Amino acid sequence: MAIKLLNPSGLPEIPVYRQVSIATGSKLVFIAGQVAWDTDGVTVGEGDLTAQVERAYLNLGTALAEAGASFADVAKLILYVVDWTPDKMPLLLEGIDRASAKLGVTPMAPATLIGVAALDVPEHLVEVEATAVVD
């Protein structure tokens, strides 16, 4: 496996991701930020952060699969959330959990969450991008 995930001693253990990933594969895969679009480009879950997080992760899974990768190959995730406040964390985590159940995996790569004023269109509340490494 090209990715090894770690929680070094001296750093807090965060339940939804690991602090470090070590990549040893030979092919880098960069996935554009995925939003809550269906296959026709229609926004899924307008106004519903949980539904949009779920769809963005499902779309990310589709993009990874097309590149011959999976969430096990993801070295880094970046999440952009419109008007982020900490009270939105349960909605975000529920969306990740729902996508994880459908995908049969739990995305655990190191992650960065960035609050933003807006995304590409007003309906989008979250965008998730990934970098993966495969052998």
Side-chain angles (χ1 to χ4, degrees):
M1 182 162 278
I3 303 294
K4 181 177 180 179
L5 301 176
L6 305 171
N7 272 325
S9 62
L11 294 178
E13 287 194 29
I14 309 298
V16 295
Y17 66 87
R18 300 296 177 255
Q19 294 283 2
V20 175
S21 68
I22 300 171
T24 58
S26 59
K27 181 170 75 169
L28 295 175
V29 179
F30 300 93
I31 307 294
Q34 296 300 301
V35 294
W37 275 329
D38 67 12
T39 56
D40 295 320
V42 175
T43 299
V44 172
E46 192 169 334
D48 182 344
L49 180 61
T50 299
Q52 289 201 19
V53 169
E54 177 184 8
R55 184 59 190 230
Y57 270 80
L58 293 174
N59 288 348
L60 184 55
T62 299
L64 287 164
E66 183 67 23
S70 71
F71 277 97
D73 302 306
V74 173
K76 176 72 175 170
L77 290 167
I78 302 176
L79 293 84
Y80 303 92
V81 183
V82 173
D83 297 327
W84 175 256
T85 56
D87 62 306
K88 293 180 181 177
M89 185 62 80
L91 301 172
L92 181 105
L93 294 176
E94 182 182 343
I96 294 170
D97 286 346
R98 287 178 7 190
S100 295
K102 288 181 179 176
L103 293 165
V105 299
T106 302
M108 296 300 287
T112 299
L113 189 153
I114 301 171
V116 296
L119 291 169
D120 59 330
V121 296
E123 299 82 33
H124 290 159
L125 303 175
V126 65
E127 185 169 322
V128 184
E129 73 176 72
T131 301
V133 181
V134 294
D135 290 324

Coordinates of all heavy atoms in Angstrom, one line a residue, residues 33-37 44 48-57 78-82 84 92 96 113-114 116 118-129:
G33 N -11.5 19.8 -6.7 CA -12.5 19.9 -5.7 C -13.8 19.4 -6.2 O -14.3 19.8 -7.2
Q34 N -14.4 18.5 -5.4 CA -15.7 17.9 -5.7 C -16.8 18.6 -4.9 O -16.6 18.8 -3.7 CB -15.6 16.4 -5.5 CG -14.7 15.6 -6.3 CD -15.0 15.8 -7.8 OE1 -16.0 15.5 -8.3 NE2 -14.0 16.4 -8.6
V35 N -17.8 18.9 -5.6 CA -19.0 19.5 -5.0 C -20.2 18.6 -5.1 O -20.1 17.5 -5.5 CB -19.3 20.9 -5.6 CG1 -18.1 21.9 -5.3 CG2 -19.5 20.8 -7.1
A36 N -21.3 19.1 -4.7 CA -22.6 18.2 -4.6 C -23.3 18.2 -5.9 O -24.5 18.5 -5.9 CB -23.4 18.7 -3.5
W37 N -22.7 18.0 -7.0 CA -23.3 17.8 -8.3 C -23.7 16.4 -8.6 O -22.9 15.5 -8.3 CB -22.4 18.3 -9.4 CG -22.4 19.8 -9.7 CD1 -23.4 20.6 -9.5 CD2 -21.3 20.5 -10.2 NE1 -23.0 21.9 -9.9 CE2 -21.7 21.8 -10.4 CE3 -20.0 20.2 -10.6 CZ2 -20.9 22.9 -10.8 CZ3 -19.2 21.2 -11.1 CH2 -19.7 22.5 -11.2
V44 N -27.1 18.7 -5.6 CA -27.8 17.8 -4.7 C -27.8 18.4 -3.3 O -26.8 19.0 -2.8 CB -27.1 16.4 -4.6 CG1 -27.8 15.5 -3.6 CG2 -27.2 15.8 -6.0
D48 N -28.5 22.1 2.4 CA -28.3 21.0 3.3 C -26.8 20.6 3.4 O -26.4 19.8 2.5 CB -29.2 19.8 2.9 CG -29.1 18.6 3.9 OD1 -28.2 18.5 4.7 OD2 -30.0 17.8 3.8
L49 N -26.1 21.1 4.3 CA -24.6 20.8 4.4 C -24.3 19.3 4.5 O -23.5 18.8 3.8 CB -24.0 21.5 5.6 CG -22.5 21.3 5.8 CD1 -21.7 21.8 4.6 CD2 -22.0 22.0 7.1
T50 N -25.1 18.6 5.3 CA -24.8 17.1 5.4 C -25.0 16.4 4.1 O -24.1 15.6 3.7 CB -25.8 16.5 6.4 OG1 -25.6 17.1 7.7 CG2 -25.6 15.0 6.6
A51 N -26.1 16.7 3.3 CA -26.3 16.1 2.0 C -25.2 16.4 1.0 O -24.8 15.6 0.2 CB -27.7 16.4 1.5
Q52 N -24.8 17.7 1.1 CA -23.7 18.1 0.2 C -22.4 17.5 0.5 O -21.6 17.1 -0.4 CB -23.7 19.6 0.1 CG -24.9 20.3 -0.6 CD -24.6 21.7 -1.1 OE1 -23.5 22.1 -1.2 NE2 -25.7 22.4 -1.3
V53 N -22.1 17.4 1.8 CA -20.8 16.7 2.1 C -20.8 15.2 1.6 O -19.9 14.7 1.0 CB -20.6 16.7 3.6 CG1 -19.4 15.8 4.1 CG2 -20.3 18.2 4.1
E54 N -22.0 14.6 1.9 CA -22.1 13.2 1.4 C -21.9 13.1 -0.1 O -21.1 12.3 -0.6 CB -23.5 12.7 1.8 CG -23.7 11.3 1.3 CD -25.2 10.8 1.6 OE1 -26.0 11.6 2.0 OE2 -25.4 9.6 1.3
R55 N -22.5 13.9 -0.9 CA -22.4 13.8 -2.3 C -21.0 14.2 -2.8 O -20.5 13.6 -3.7 CB -23.5 14.7 -3.0 CG -23.4 14.6 -4.5 CD -23.7 13.2 -4.9 NE -23.5 13.0 -6.3 CZ -24.4 12.4 -7.2 NH1 -25.5 12.0 -6.7 NH2 -24.1 12.3 -8.4
A56 N -20.4 15.2 -2.2 CA -19.0 15.6 -2.6 C -18.1 14.4 -2.3 O -17.2 14.1 -3.2 CB -18.6 16.8 -1.8
Y57 N -18.2 13.7 -1.2 CA -17.4 12.5 -0.9 C -17.7 11.4 -1.9 O -16.8 10.7 -2.3 CB -17.5 12.1 0.5 CG -16.5 12.7 1.5 CD1 -16.7 14.0 2.0 CD2 -15.4 12.1 1.9 CE1 -15.8 14.6 2.8 CE2 -14.5 12.7 2.7 CZ -14.7 13.9 3.2 OH -13.8 14.5 4.0
I78 N -8.5 18.3 1.5 CA -8.8 19.7 1.8 C -10.3 19.9 1.6 O -10.8 19.6 0.5 CB -8.0 20.7 1.0 CG1 -6.5 20.4 1.1 CG2 -8.3 22.1 1.4 CD1 -5.6 21.3 0.3
L79 N -10.9 20.4 2.7 CA -12.3 20.7 2.6 C -12.5 22.2 2.7 O -11.9 22.9 3.6 CB -13.1 20.1 3.8 CG -13.1 18.5 3.8 CD1 -11.9 17.9 4.4 CD2 -14.4 18.1 4.5
Y80 N -13.3 22.8 1.8 CA -13.7 24.2 1.8 C -15.2 24.2 2.2 O -16.0 23.6 1.5 CB -13.4 24.8 0.5 CG -12.0 24.6 0.0 CD1 -11.6 23.6 -0.8 CD2 -11.0 25.6 0.3 CE1 -10.3 23.4 -1.2 CE2 -9.7 25.4 -0.1 CZ -9.4 24.4 -0.9 OH -8.1 24.2 -1.3
V81 N -15.5 25.0 3.3 CA -16.9 25.0 3.7 C -17.3 26.5 3.8 O -16.6 27.3 4.5 CB -17.1 24.4 5.1 CG1 -18.5 24.4 5.5 CG2 -16.6 22.9 5.0
V82 N -18.4 26.8 3.2 CA -18.9 28.2 3.1 C -19.4 28.6 4.5 O -20.1 27.8 5.2 CB -20.1 28.3 2.1 CG1 -20.7 29.7 2.2 CG2 -19.6 28.0 0.7
W84 N -18.0 28.8 7.5 CA -17.8 27.8 8.5 C -17.8 28.4 9.9 O -17.3 29.4 10.1 CB -16.4 27.2 8.3 CG -16.0 26.2 9.4 CD1 -15.2 26.5 10.4 CD2 -16.6 24.9 9.6 NE1 -15.1 25.4 11.3 CE2 -16.0 24.4 10.8 CE3 -17.5 24.1 8.9 CZ2 -16.3 23.2 11.3 CZ3 -17.8 22.9 9.4 CH2 -17.2 22.4 10.6
L92 N -21.1 18.2 9.2 CA -20.1 17.8 8.3 C -19.7 16.3 8.6 O -19.6 15.5 7.7 CB -18.8 18.6 8.6 CG -17.6 18.3 7.7 CD1 -17.5 19.3 6.6 CD2 -16.4 18.2 8.5
I96 N -19.9 12.9 6.1 CA -18.8 12.0 5.9 C -19.2 10.6 6.3 O -18.9 9.6 5.6 CB -17.5 12.5 6.7 CG1 -17.0 13.8 6.1 CG2 -16.4 11.4 6.7 CD1 -16.0 14.5 7.0
L113 N -9.5 21.8 7.0 CA -10.8 22.4 6.7 C -10.6 23.9 6.7 O -10.0 24.5 7.6 CB -11.7 22.0 7.9 CG -13.2 22.4 7.6 CD1 -14.1 21.5 8.4 CD2 -13.5 23.8 8.0
I114 N -11.1 24.5 5.6 CA -10.9 25.9 5.4 C -12.3 26.6 5.2 O -13.0 26.2 4.3 CB -10.0 26.2 4.2 CG1 -8.6 25.6 4.3 CG2 -9.9 27.7 3.9 CD1 -7.8 25.6 3.1
V116 N -14.6 29.4 3.9 CA -14.6 30.3 2.8 C -15.9 31.2 2.7 O -16.9 30.7 3.3 CB -14.4 29.6 1.4 CG1 -13.0 28.9 1.4 CG2 -15.5 28.6 1.2
A118 N -17.4 32.0 -0.2 CA -18.3 31.4 -1.2 C -17.5 30.4 -2.0 O -16.3 30.4 -2.0 CB -18.8 32.5 -2.1
L119 N -18.2 29.6 -2.8 CA -17.6 28.7 -3.8 C -18.0 29.1 -5.2 O -18.4 30.2 -5.4 CB -18.0 27.2 -3.4 CG -17.4 26.7 -2.1 CD1 -18.1 25.4 -1.7 CD2 -15.9 26.5 -2.2
D120 N -18.0 28.1 -6.1 CA -18.2 28.4 -7.5 C -19.6 28.9 -7.8 O -19.8 29.8 -8.7 CB -17.9 27.2 -8.4 CG -18.7 26.0 -8.0 OD1 -19.1 25.9 -6.8 OD2 -19.0 25.1 -8.9
V121 N -20.6 28.4 -7.1 CA -22.0 28.9 -7.3 C -22.6 29.0 -5.9 O -22.2 28.3 -5.0 CB -22.9 27.9 -8.2 CG1 -22.3 27.8 -9.6 CG2 -22.9 26.5 -7.6
P122 N -23.6 29.9 -5.8 CA -24.2 30.1 -4.5 C -24.8 28.9 -3.8 O -24.8 28.8 -2.6 CB -25.3 31.1 -4.7 CG -24.9 31.8 -6.0 CD -24.2 30.7 -6.8
E123 N -25.2 27.9 -4.6 CA -25.9 26.7 -4.0 C -24.9 25.7 -3.3 O -25.2 24.9 -2.4 CB -26.6 25.9 -5.1 CG -27.7 26.6 -5.8 CD -27.2 27.5 -6.9 OE1 -26.2 27.2 -7.6 OE2 -27.8 28.5 -7.1
H124 N -23.6 25.8 -3.7 CA -22.6 24.9 -3.1 C -22.1 25.4 -1.7 O -21.7 26.5 -1.6 CB -21.4 24.7 -4.1 CG -21.8 24.0 -5.3 ND1 -21.1 24.0 -6.4 CD2 -22.8 23.1 -5.5 CE1 -21.7 23.3 -7.3 NE2 -22.7 22.7 -6.8
L125 N -22.2 24.5 -0.8 CA -21.8 24.7 0.6 C -20.4 24.1 1.0 O -19.8 24.5 2.0 CB -22.8 24.2 1.6 CG -24.3 24.8 1.4 CD1 -25.2 24.1 2.3 CD2 -24.3 26.3 1.6
V126 N -20.0 23.1 0.2 CA -18.7 22.4 0.5 C -18.1 22.0 -0.8 O -18.7 21.7 -1.8 CB -19.0 21.2 1.5 CG1 -19.8 20.2 0.8 CG2 -17.7 20.6 2.0
E127 N -16.7 21.9 -0.7 CA -15.9 21.4 -1.8 C -14.8 20.6 -1.2 O -14.2 21.0 -0.2 CB -15.4 22.5 -2.7 CG -14.6 22.1 -3.9 CD -14.3 23.2 -4.8 OE1 -15.2 24.2 -5.0 OE2 -13.2 23.2 -5.4
V128 N -14.6 19.4 -1.7 CA -13.5 18.5 -1.2 C -12.6 18.1 -2.3 O -13.0 17.6 -3.3 CB -14.2 17.2 -0.6 CG1 -13.1 16.4 0.1 CG2 -15.3 17.6 0.4
E129 N -11.3 18.4 -2.0 CA -10.3 18.0 -3.0 C -9.3 17.0 -2.3 O -9.2 16.9 -1.1 CB -9.5 19.2 -3.6 CG -8.5 19.8 -2.6 CD -7.8 21.0 -3.3 OE1 -8.3 22.0 -3.6 OE2 -6.6 20.8 -3.6

